[in-house]
Amino acid sequence: MSHATIPGGFRQIQRHDGIFQEQVHDAYKSKAKLPEPTVCPQCGAVYHEGRWQWQQAPANAHQETCPACHRIHDQYPAGFLTMKGEFFSAHRDEIMRLVHNHEKHERAEHPLKRIMAVEEKDGATLVTTTDIHLARGIGEALHHAYQGELQYHYNPEQNLLRVSWTH
Ligand SMILES: [Zn+2]
């Protein structure tokens, strides 16, 4: 695989790299501590006990757009998952069901984990996500279900993750 195709700032990391455990700078995380409760006027997620959750917001809740809606508005994904290969092409419908089911499951618990878009690009399918952990989780789920080759490229400056699955 040619590294010329990887944009600047990304470096390859191993699947179990501890990088994901680190606190990294993320421009989409609020710099100031949000008042609680804060409700996102776009999606209705509520910031409570230090994290965004799906719950009913009181009428007097502070309003501020959550990081996921902010990224969707800016069309600025955090995670990029590229899927390609003969196996993928032959089983695309089934695999895309797994991708969407994984997101649905994660999003139910974590409002900031969402798929932003699914695009066809250069014979591959690109799924973009609002959260790097969702892109990684979908990659893990694909590898667990079907094997294939999984690669991660991480950009620590901007906290972006590119996952590529080839099968
Ligand atoms: Zn929101």
Side-chain angles (χ1 to χ4, degrees):
M1 183 170 169
S2 167
H3 283 256
T5 60
I6 306 298
F10 283 87
R11 62 184 177 88
Q12 187 165 359
I13 57 170
Q14 297 309 308
R15 284 180 57 199
H16 301 291
D17 200 305
I19 196 91
F20 297 109
Q21 264 51 268
E22 291 172 17
Q23 288 291 336
V24 289
H25 172 72
D26 185 337
Y28 282 82
K29 293 228 170 80
S30 294
K31 282 158 198 76
K33 203 169 182 297
L34 287 169
E36 296 196 15
T38 289
V39 62
C40 173
Q42 318 295 327
C43 68
V46 174
Y47 188 79
H48 178 63
E49 292 178 343
R51 67 183 193 95
W52 289 91
Q53 309 180 30
W54 295 121
Q55 59 174 235
Q56 201 66 36
N60 63 348
H62 177 77
Q63 294 206 353
E64 192 161 321
T65 303
C66 76
C69 289
H70 198 171
R71 282 191 183 275
I72 290 164
H73 174 267
D74 292 354
Q75 299 185 312
Y76 192 77
F80 302 79
L81 170 70
T82 303
M83 297 171 289
K84 60 178 188 287
E86 276 177 33
F87 179 89
F88 172 66
S89 299
H91 300 88
R92 191 179 183 282
D93 289 353
E94 177 193 335
I95 291 165
M96 288 310 292
R97 263 199 303 280
L98 185 149
V99 169
H100 285 290
N101 281 339
H102 188 91
E103 185 237 10
K104 207 171 137 193
H105 184 79
E106 288 288 312
R107 193 185 49 190
E109 279 292 312
H110 307 284
L112 302 189
K113 293 187 176 181
R114 295 179 215 166
I115 287 177
M116 289 176 61
V118 178
E119 298 167 32
E120 301 304 316
K121 224 173 173 179
D122 306 327
T125 296
L126 171 68
V127 175
T128 52
T129 63
T130 55
D131 175 284
I132 63 169
H133 300 280
L134 179 59
R136 183 178 66 133
I138 295 172
E140 291 283 335
L142 292 173
H143 189 260
H144 182 77
Y146 307 109
Q147 291 75 55
E149 193 198 344
L150 196 57
Q151 281 194 335
Y152 296 129
H153 289 89
Y154 182 61
N155 178 328
E157 280 76 38
Q158 294 172 71
N159 194 29
L160 305 175
L161 181 71
R162 289 183 181 270
V163 180
S164 123
W165 184 65
T166 310
H167 195 351

